[in-house]
Amino acid sequence: MQAVSRRLGHQYIKQSPAISSLYPLSDRYYGGENPRYQSTLTIKGVGHLVRKGTGGRSSVSGIVATVFGATGFLGRYLVQQLAKMGSQVLVPFRGSEDSQRHLKLMGDLGQIVPMKYDPRDENSIKAVMAKANVVINLIGREYETRNYSFEEVNHHMAEQLAMIAKEHGGIMRFIQVSCLGASPSSSSRMLRSKAAAEEAVLRELPEATVMKPAVMIGTEDRILNTWAHFAKKYSFLPLIGDGSTKIQPVYVVDVASAIVTALKDDGTSMGKVYELGGPDIFTVHELTELMYDVIREWPRYVKIPFPIAKAIAMPREILLKKVPFPMPTPTIFNLDLIEALSTDTLVSENALTFVDLGIVPHKLKGYPVEFLIQYRKGGPQYGSTVSEKVTPQSWS
């Protein structure tokens, strides 16, 4: 009886034009007999969508966004800002059911929809993208594993998402998040794969928007947390090279705001590439000094020349595909990050930036790095501030 009901229900759905128009089946866009379609991205962005409410999380923005990589560092801040404006966010995930649990609290009931998928299964990707009108790709890796290479994660997955979005027929915006410094000529395989992804996405979807953030700083970041943890554990910090490499770190919330701002515009950001760097330029040594200042520890460094740092990181890369067990996740001695640190990573002179999106990025000194107080060995109030170190004047 249940089998008969399922067959009858399936026939009804296929024959009902009302339901078919409201909830298009994936075959309508993705049928195996259909050719690859031309790009259908609207030239006006999502500005014309019907909106309801006052603009809060209980409103309806009209945006239904599939955010690939939403369970990562940037993803949680982006999902929060999308949900805050009343958007429905589809969260594809491939790991544990708990990996996306924290995101459901960020939106109203039913607005955050976790969907399990397989990034290597095209039909699975089409399923999580079927009801969306916006696709945002945050997928990326800073290190390789036995199962996923840089080329597959950073390049081929982005290219596949762009191709599926191109065929979809209802995707109005596609935003690809790359990283600052991505270049085909980079010595880092990670940065070369990110550059290849940008090229592939813009080839498939010339109207797509590409965001290239610098190294991102925030509560769950993988730079200041890594340094502070190492410094607390070993009482010193390895300084790759002499620490003179210049970088332009950016607050992760500003990057999420840039993506949402581009998404809400009238289409002016479509087909453009934005380089998102913070307002201040730091050398690596200056950024470590800021970290030490916040955790209130005396700075201790061991300077490691680039050739020696690469030699320390090399065994993992050699053994990665040769041993029958997973290798440890690299932290400071990550070969590709060491390669990336060998050259300055700054916003280009004539690039589109936060200013072109009407955003003033936060300075790092202050709230964006306050999360580091968790590493103070005597609690948040441990140690002396600069003002306490000044000898008080005599009032005699």
Side-chain angles (χ1 to χ4, degrees), residues 295-314:
I295 69 173
R296 295 180 179 174
E297 293 279 350
W298 190 262
R300 297 181 182 89
Y301 303 104
V302 174
K303 293 186 178 181
I304 302 178
F306 280 108
I308 296 178
K310 292 177 185 178
I312 295 173
M314 187 62 71

Side-chain angles (χ1 to χ4, degrees), residues 129-142:
M129 207 184 287
K131 302 296 190 298
N133 53 28
V134 168
V135 174
I136 304 173
N137 180 29
L138 309 180
I139 296 175
R141 265 286 171 84
E142 296 174 340

Side-chain angles (χ1 to χ4, degrees), residues 222-261:
R222 292 185 289 272
I223 180 169
L224 293 184
N225 277 303
T226 301
W227 289 349
H229 181 75
F230 194 100
K232 293 295 293 182
K233 187 174 183 180
Y234 299 106
S235 300
F236 73 94
L237 185 65
L239 199 59
I240 308 299
D242 58 358
S244 62
T245 304
K246 294 180 180 179
I247 55 177
Q248 204 165 343
V250 61
Y251 187 33
V252 64
V253 174
D254 294 331
V255 177
S257 298
I259 295 172
V260 173
T261 300

